[in-house]
Structure formats: structure tokens, C-alpha cells
Amino acid sequence: MSHNFINFHVLISHSPSCLNRDDMNMQKNAVFGGKRRVRVSSQSLKRAMRKSDYYQANVGQSSIRTKHIADLSKQAIEYLNGRYDAALVTQTIGLISGKDLNAGDEKGDAVAPWALEEIAWFCEQVKQAQDKGEDEKAIKKKLKDSTEAMRQALASCVDIALSGRMATSGLMSEFGKVDGALAVAHAITTHEVSDSDIDWFTAVDDLQELGSGHLDTQEFSSGVFYRYASLNIGQLQENMGGASREQALEVAAHLLHMLATVVPSAKQQTFAAHNLADLALVSFADLPVSLANAFESPVKLGKGGGFLKPSLEYLNNYWSKTHKGYSLNEQCAEFTLADDLDIPAGITKQDSLEALKNWVRQNGA
């Protein structure tokens, strides 16, 4: 029997950085186990992944997330030039968004993800209906009856199939909603970060003899972060229009790669915290299971210093306790850069991230 969920557990040590900030320009944080942890939000991680070069090269075109419907229409017209005329594209977007672009109704009710190939599919349906002399009411009924085909068009824009879509107006609010297949947790440090560092920096004006042209401060810190995500394979298959399990697992393999390698871009020109994961643990399971509670009691410095090695040990030890305590039916594999880490019984060791990705592609076999 094939398991429906894939749990991804990643530990990644970031050198001094400020990867995610709040409205006060301070590092995002969270209290966990009664102690302050530095945090990178799930929204920040997901955006970094879908906008990454790896995503574009291996997964495909990402969605356009906007409430500016008029600007979306201009991009769609340019993208579909030669396939559909501008008037048809504008009419179609107005139909599915519930906005009359010709009357200056240019903004949606909320930011929503749009897939250009999905818009192309809608244009084709509207064109065919118009060629048959059908009115707008008949067009709407036809679209409502073709949701499965619409989902197949979403296969070209996997991030909507992964993260889902909420729609509040137009035809999209009736049949364009998508339940997300991927749940991503906010990444937090495995240890306490009680006091962040403050960088007091200046911008020197080369044409000013004394003083500085600009003075400011920036909070930053370093730490070992736990990233967790859970993928509902069946939901992903449904969202991709009835995709095969093999197609869903291919997406899962790429998702693993991005969770282990992609880092948010905030302040990277200043800090260059381009760090790769030190451990990636993947399990095929019957339910989503986070291992965040491995770090509810903050990791303490190891004997030789550092939080990384004890964090790796905490994670594997907690996995072992959870696996045995709940008699979890799961297939697990792990890749780590640590040479001296004990791998618990029940976890298959993989020698590289690529080997772990292939293990995912092969359904955990």
C-alpha cells in the first residue's frame, strides 16, 4: 500500500544573516519552549522556492500573484500574442475575475495566484463557445462543467497545485478554488537566540571630507534552523488534473531539493548566508508528522562548541522515539553531511541529496 503523505525534515545552519524581517525591520522570531527563537516565515520560504532558478529550470513557470487585474491582463495579452487576440483575453479575464476591465474595474478583491496557461485554457473555451453562438450564461455553465480539464491546465503551474488558491470574486470564486497539497511550517532555530547582534553601519560619501553620508543599524544573528513540510500526494494529483503518482513524486523530489538548498534573498548582498542543508530526512507516511518538538527544549552547545551536531542528534533521537512510540508505518531515508552521526534503525542512509531525491522518485524503495 502506498503512503499518501511525504514528510520533509531539514536542518540547515545559517551563518550571520537577517533572512526575514518584520514591519519594524527586525528579525522575525517566535517563542517556543518558553525561549526566543529566530524565525523564517513559511511565506518567505515558499516564495523563495517558487522564484528560484531551480524552480524555473526543473518545475516550470510559476504563478503570477496579484490583485492588479489590469496589469495581469496586459501580461496575458503579451504572453498569448499570436494565439488569442487582445479583446478575447481581456473578456476572458473579466469573466473569470468578475471585474469589468473596460469600465475601469482594475483591481481584484485580494491577491490571488494566476497561471498564464490556465488563462489560455479559459480563452479557448470562451472562443469555442462564441464560435457556436453561445451567450455568456452558456459559457459560464460550460466552464463550471469542465473543472477537471481546468485542473489539467494547472499542471503547468505547480505552485498553485502545491499551495492552493483562494478566490473571492467572479467564476474563480465558484470553481477556481484549490485546496493546497503542501503544508510548510515556519522555520525556527533549534536553540535559543536570546540576544541578536546589531550591525551599526555607515555609508561613506566619497565626496564628503568628514563624517558619513548615512548611518543606520540592522539586527542579525546566526543559528541552526529546522524546516518542516508535509505533502499530500493524493491532493497534489487531484490539483494537477489527475496526474499519476509518478508525476507527483517527481514534483516531491524537486521540492526536497529546494527545501535543502533555497534560501530567502533578504539582506543576502550584505550577509551572503548561502548555506546548504546539513541534514534532510524524508518519510513516506500515512499522516503528517512534524518533529519540531525535538527542539521544544532548546538545544545546548555541544562539548566542542556549536549547535549543529547536537541538533542533528536531537532530531534523529526524537524521530526514533516517535516512530517506535506510535508504531508509525513509514518508510524513511536520510542524507547528512555529518560523518559521525548515528542513523537510527528504520532510516535508510543516502550518500547524497541526489540519491535521496531518486529514493523519493522511486516511492521510497
Side-chain angles (χ1 to χ4, degrees), residues 19-20 28 39-51 65 163 184-187 264:
L19 297 174
N20 199 198
K28 288 190 175 182
R39 172 173 63 94
V40 176
S41 72
S42 57
Q43 296 92 332
S44 175
L45 288 172
K46 287 187 287 186
R47 178 174 173 79
M49 288 192 290
R50 74 173 180 268
K51 292 299 183 181
R65 295 173 183 250
S163 298
V184 180
H186 292 235

Side-chain angles (χ1 to χ4, degrees), residues 95 121-132 134-150 171 175:
L95 187 66
W121 179 86
F122 277 115
C123 287
E124 182 61 29
Q125 308 314 304
V126 172
K127 182 177 183 297
Q128 289 179 11
Q130 289 179 339
D131 290 343
K132 295 177 182 178
E134 297 176 347
D135 59 14
E136 187 170 296
K137 184 177 180 180
I139 293 174
K140 289 181 178 179
K141 184 180 184 305
K142 179 181 179 181
L143 292 176
K144 290 178 182 179
D145 294 337
S146 305
T147 54
E148 185 174 342
M150 182 193 73
L171 289 178
F175 59 82

Side-chain angles (χ1 to χ4, degrees), residues 44-93:
S44 175
L45 288 172
K46 287 187 287 186
R47 178 174 173 79
M49 288 192 290
R50 74 173 180 268
K51 292 299 183 181
S52 67
D53 291 339
Y54 182 90
Y55 185 100
Q56 306 302 319
N58 295 278
V59 182
Q61 186 183 70
S62 65
S63 65
I64 299 172
R65 295 173 183 250
T66 186
K67 64 178 180 180
H68 298 282
I69 305 300
D71 293 333
L72 171 69
S73 182
K74 292 176 184 177
Q75 284 203 29
I77 289 170
E78 182 179 354
Y79 178 77
L80 297 173
N81 183 35
R83 294 165 65 181
Y84 303 103
D85 62 55
L88 176 63
V89 175
T90 300
Q91 178 191 0
T92 300
I93 292 178

Side-chain angles (χ1 to χ4, degrees), residues 287-304:
L287 73 167
V289 178
S290 167
L291 300 179
N293 283 343
F295 312 110
E296 195 272 343
S297 178
V299 170
K300 305 299 182 185
L301 281 171
K303 292 181 180 179

